[in-house]
Amino acid sequence: MARKQIKQPLPFFEKVAILDAGAEGKAVARVDNRVIFVPYAVPGDVVDLQVTGKKKSYYEARITAMHRPSPWRIDPVCRHFGLCGGCRWQNMDYSRQLHHKQKQVKESFDRIGKFDYPEIRPIIPSDPIYFYRNKLDYTFSNRKWHIDLRPEGETHIHSNGLGFHLPGRFDRVLDIEKCHLQADPSNDIRLKARKFALSEELSFYDVKTWEGLLRNLIIRNTTTGKWMVIMVFRDDDEEIIRKFMTHLQNNFPEITSLMYAINPKRNDDISNLEIRLFHGNPYLIEVLPAFHSGHPPLKFKIGPVSFFQTNARQAEKLYRVAAEFADFKGDELVYDLYSGTGTIACYIAPYVKKVVGLEYIPSAVTDAEENARLNGFNNTAFHSGDIAKIMNDDFFHANGPPGIIITDPPRAGMHEKVVRQILQARPAKIVYVSCNPATQARDIKILADHYRVTEVQPVDMFPHTQHVENVVVMEKSDE
Ligand code: SAH
């Protein structure tokens, strides 16, 4: 008979000081030279820690007792805090969140970069810090996750819920009563949708058996108060769908774009599905102030699957910083790398000779062309493809050498080939907009052979998360 291995109990540590804010929104402590990641701790706390996971070089632990709360610890506003993985820093004073974001930029640059840079400008805070998102994606589930507070003996009436996936759990959905991320009537739309579904006894999706009618509810809005709602059903049950959609339409006159899709697939991706219009327009128009106040505001068309920065007011500040750093004279050929739906290209088009955008999602390129048209620009051109492949010498030859390059890559940063091609093109200036200072530092390190960093400006787009955007301008340092 195989002998059972005796499991060592996981360590317990008393009165540990939480030192810093770390990766994935978890705070960091250190005991015996080993790093401990602690979710929902605030730097400055002194706590008891029960280790919950032991890895080669670090522990994961949870707080079991609080000895001294950090001076920056505050009560989270959200009743779902601690379960929902969404706003992990909500128990930290906002000014301290900003401090840690600023520090994240500096530490990434010092640790990874090893290049010279000027003093980092103070991070631009988000205003507002709640209800700042313009898009939320909710999931219907027939096995909602909840802590049952009902007295014993009472039976469960149902376990249908509508909310967010628990962090790392595709099969667990936290039913949401109130989310502080999107303005009114976002919560009301979700609550009414759920109530209607329950009263009509409609089936909520089961991720394990792939059954159930109701799958997703996507809510988008603009700074101008227009709303788009996309309901995703598993089956094309015409009568029920009409009833459901009519209920939303009658209750929410603010929904100017009411749409739905049928998704019989096993994954939730709707980007390749037909999105049907039930009522109103098949898109929203977002409006952002132009860089120069004398110019008309910019309009952006947002279709059901179009990308748009989720904190629009902060996006405008981010683009403003990028444009200020670029300091256009008017005769420049600018490349906008990772151009998405052309928001940066449109923002800068009036102030330059021409903008060439590069982006690999074809529908985003179509959106970008449409956005340029909508704003009356005829000095933009967008190319679809993987930048690492298409931005080669032939491309520079065909489109002209860029005087300025603006780049806004995803979290992974730029492919090294792209960085090398930028060096090859030798623009006078590079404006690097990043959502990950670590990969930004890695890329800048290569560029620093021929460029010097002249400005660094972090921007907060996502309060209560560890995420930070950072804009850097680099100028050619040799001839
Ligand atoms: N600048 C835009 C979008 C930035 S998001 C804005 O502010 O709205 C980054 C974009 O890079 C996404 O649209 C993504 O589709 C695109 N992308 C990612 N990897 C790419 C690659 N290798 N080649 C081209 N585009 C890429």
Side-chain angles (χ1 to χ4, degrees):
M1 212 169 81
R3 205 160 349 130
K4 248 195 184 164
Q5 225 184 339
I6 298 167
K7 257 196 165 175
Q8 288 283 330
L10 290 166
F12 176 83
F13 301 113
E14 258 181 275
K15 294 197 177 163
V16 182
I18 302 294
L19 302 174
D20 204 352
E24 290 168 41
K26 290 174 188 161
V28 182
R30 197 178 274 277
V31 175
D32 302 336
N33 245 339
R34 189 187 279 259
V35 170
I36 311 178
F37 289 110
V38 191
Y40 307 110
V42 177
D45 283 344
V46 177
V47 290
D48 288 349
L49 290 178
Q50 173 62 57
V51 172
T52 52
K54 208 172 163 180
K55 300 280 150 59
K56 247 203 186 116
S57 57
Y58 65 92
Y59 288 138
E60 278 166 350
R62 70 183 164 81
I63 300 174
T64 56
M66 173 69 67
H67 288 280
R68 198 192 67 204
S70 161
W72 299 288
R73 185 176 263 276
I74 57 167
D75 287 333
V77 298
C78 180
R79 71 192 72 158
H80 303 295
F81 180 81
L83 270 180
C84 170
C87 305
R88 286 180 180 230
W89 281 8
Q90 232 190 49
N91 59 352
M92 197 193 320
D93 185 74
Y94 185 56
S95 65
R96 202 60 185 174
Q97 294 180 24
L98 294 173
H99 162 87
H100 283 288
K101 294 188 191 213
Q102 181 97 13
K103 192 157 160 262
Q104 191 187 326
V105 175
K106 181 161 171 34
E107 286 177 355
S108 298
F109 279 23
D110 290 343
R111 196 179 64 232
I112 306 162
K114 301 196 172 57
F115 46 78
D116 293 331
Y117 60 90
E119 193 178 340
I120 300 172
R121 294 186 186 194
I123 185 168
I124 298 174
S126 176
D127 184 18
I129 63 167
Y130 295 105
F131 307 110
Y132 61 81
R133 278 186 71 100
N134 57 20
K135 183 178 179 217
L136 286 180
D137 192 335
Y138 291 106
T139 303
F140 288 88
S141 169
N142 70 340
R143 38 181 98 220
K144 81 174 175 195
W145 180 257
H146 58 119
I147 296 172
D148 203 344
L149 299 173
R150 286 172 293 195
E152 253 187 299
E154 219 178 294
T155 52
H156 288 232
I157 303 156
H158 61 78
S159 68
N160 289 331
L162 174 56
F164 297 125
H165 282 280
L166 289 184
R169 294 298 299 262
F170 82 100
D171 60 339
R172 291 269 191 231
V173 168
L174 181 69
D175 194 51
I176 297 291
E177 285 300 324
K178 180 168 183 178
C179 174
H180 287 74
L181 283 174
Q182 193 173 31
D184 287 337
S186 176
N187 281 298
D188 214 17
I189 293 171
R190 188 196 58 258
L191 292 172
K192 282 227 165 54
R194 187 186 64 183
K195 194 168 171 200
F196 186 75
L198 293 174
S199 68
E200 295 289 312
E201 296 184 353
L202 305 179
S203 55
F204 287 43
Y205 196 65
D206 186 316
V207 276
K208 295 205 165 148
T209 62
W210 305 297
E211 285 166 339
L213 176 69
L214 307 172
R215 293 194 63 165
N216 301 91
L217 172 70
I218 299 155
I219 308 180
R220 306 185 74 161
N221 65 318
T222 61
T223 55
T224 58
K226 302 280 195 271
W227 291 77
M228 171 185 282
V229 171
I230 308 154
M231 258 304 297
V232 185
F233 302 92
R234 181 188 179 280
D235 309 295
D236 198 353
D237 195 330
E238 211 176 306
E239 197 182 324
I240 299 177
I241 290 176
R242 183 166 330 110
K243 219 167 156 188
F244 198 103
M245 301 307 284
T246 305
H247 183 73
L248 289 179
Q249 183 186 350
N250 291 345
N251 275 280
F252 298 101
E254 353 10 23
I255 303 178
T256 51
S257 173
L258 185 55
M259 308 177 87
Y260 69 96
I262 310 298
N263 182 12
K265 298 177 300 156
R266 288 183 179 182
N267 67 53
D268 278 348
D269 180 22
I270 63 158
S271 64
N272 51 359
L273 297 175
E274 178 204 355
I275 316 278
R276 303 176 190 174
L277 182 65
F278 185 80
H279 160 77
N281 297 317
Y283 52 81
L284 293 173
I285 300 283
E286 180 57 289
V287 181
L288 297 185
F291 182 46
H292 287 176
S293 56
H295 284 159
L298 295 157
K299 289 179 266 175
F300 298 101
K301 194 167 160 178
I302 304 175
V305 297
S306 302
F307 173 82
F308 198 85
Q309 291 281 358
T310 45
N311 184 344
R313 288 205 168 81
Q314 285 306 102
E316 192 259 320
K317 290 183 203 162
L318 187 75
Y319 300 155
R320 185 168 294 279
V321 170
E324 272 166 10
F325 281 0
D327 191 21
F328 303 116
K329 303 287 173 269
D331 58 352
E332 294 94 345
L333 171 61
V334 182
Y335 279 20
D336 174 17
L337 309 187
Y338 310 90
S339 48
T341 48
T343 22
I344 294 180
C346 289
Y347 193 77
I348 64 172
Y351 316 104
V352 303
K353 192 167 85 198
K354 188 174 177 186
V355 192
V356 174
L358 289 93
E359 160 64 46
Y360 71 12
I361 297 180
S363 67
V365 170
T366 311
D367 286 342
E369 286 165 347
E370 177 112 19
N371 282 331
R373 237 190 333 268
L374 190 64
N375 290 288
F377 300 135
N378 47 24
N379 62 339
T380 59
F382 297 93
H383 298 266
S384 159
D386 181 349
I387 299 177
K389 295 204 176 102
I390 64 170
M391 198 176 70
N392 52 27
D393 294 349
D394 290 347
F395 189 91
F396 290 133
H397 196 72
N399 292 278
I404 297 183
I405 288 183
I406 298 182
T407 182
D408 183 12
R411 288 187 61 74
M414 294 192 274
H415 192 291
E416 197 181 325
K417 259 192 186 162
V418 177
V419 183
R420 301 269 169 220
Q421 279 303 101
I422 293 176
L423 282 176
Q424 192 75 20
R426 280 300 155 87
K429 263 184 214 162
I430 303 163
V431 180
Y432 191 151
V433 181
S434 165
C435 52
N436 184 351
T439 54
Q440 185 183 37
R442 179 201 67 200
D443 296 344
I444 291 176
K445 192 178 171 186
I446 304 173
L447 295 168
D449 284 348
H450 301 281
Y451 286 83
R452 62 191 168 85
V453 177
T454 53
E455 292 287 356
V456 184
Q457 174 68 72
V459 179
D460 186 24
M461 307 273 282
F462 305 107
H464 320 301
T465 75
Q466 79 280 15
H467 293 293
V468 57
E469 297 282 316
N470 191 41
V471 190
V472 164
V473 64
M474 305 183 77
E475 292 181 30
K476 199 153 61 167
S477 59
D478 56 5
E479 277 314 314

